[in-house]
Amino acid sequence: MAESKIGFVNSDRVMREAAPAVRAQQRLEKEFERRDQELQRMAADLQAMQEDLERNGLTMAEGDRRNKERAFNDLNRDFQRKQREFREDLNQRRNEELATVLDKANAAVKRIAESENYDIIFQEAVYANPRIDITDKVIKALAEGK
């Protein structure tokens, strides 16, 4: 009976360390940087408004206090909406980017498997002996653009 050649790829590590994955993460950070900064600014504004209401709310005229509370609630609602949209957009773009990286990684795994005569390569395992781990080869192949 012929001996089988088995390999293992840590796909989480590939998605963290491979050059295409790192570039995808950098693109996402750059793409969403402005919106993230806007959300941080809004959060700071909300914090300042809340502190002002807590500190001065009892001494304010009733109308002024109501107006500030209304402004706070409006800004808070706008902040919550923008934060939800930001998360949804970021998740969608991350999934798009990671799908592209995953396609490249799977192609690299297939090329390695064919060129080195592997019978099977696992991506999920409870335990894999480091001897059969080909993750470094896959990361290297992706860095070389193969």
Side-chain angles (χ1 to χ4, degrees):
M1 189 165 133
E3 191 167 317
S4 297
K5 189 170 181 183
I6 298 172
F8 169 74
V9 175
N10 183 331
S11 52
D12 288 338
R13 200 171 135 222
V14 169
M15 297 307 270
R16 273 192 324 269
E17 298 176 18
V22 171
R23 286 192 301 270
Q25 182 62 36
Q26 290 168 343
R27 275 193 304 274
L28 287 172
E29 287 172 4
K30 183 175 170 105
E31 182 178 334
F32 286 89
E33 179 181 28
R34 186 182 56 77
R35 286 175 65 187
D36 185 45
Q37 289 173 350
E38 179 185 350
L39 284 171
Q40 290 178 24
R41 181 192 53 76
M42 287 179 80
D45 290 349
L46 278 168
Q47 181 70 28
M49 288 175 81
Q50 183 177 13
E51 289 171 1
D52 182 45
L53 277 168
E54 288 172 359
R55 189 173 42 251
N56 302 320
L58 295 175
T59 59
M60 283 182 196
E62 181 68 24
D64 289 343
R65 187 175 52 73
R66 246 192 332 269
N67 287 340
K68 285 196 181 244
E69 286 173 348
R70 189 175 303 118
F72 174 81
N73 289 331
D74 290 346
L75 183 60
N76 190 35
R77 196 171 24 260
D78 191 36
F79 173 74
Q80 299 292 332
R81 181 184 51 79
K82 286 184 178 188
Q83 191 176 45
R84 184 177 56 254
E85 290 171 356
F86 176 83
R87 280 194 306 268
E88 290 170 357
D89 292 348
L90 178 61
N91 286 336
Q92 180 180 352
R93 283 288 296 123
R94 182 180 292 126
N95 290 341
E96 291 168 1
E97 291 286 345
L98 292 181
T100 302
V101 173
L102 188 60
D103 289 343
K104 290 177 182 177
N106 286 338
V109 169
K110 186 175 182 197
R111 282 192 302 277
I112 291 168
E114 290 171 350
S115 69
E116 297 184 17
N117 298 316
Y118 280 91
D119 294 307
I120 190 166
I121 295 180
F122 294 99
Q123 287 186 320
E124 298 292 328
V126 174
Y127 171 78
N129 189 315
R131 178 178 48 80
I132 65 168
D133 191 341
I134 64 166
T135 305
D136 289 333
K137 289 180 184 179
V138 174
I139 291 172
K140 185 176 184 232
L142 288 169
E144 295 170 355
K146 293 183 179 177

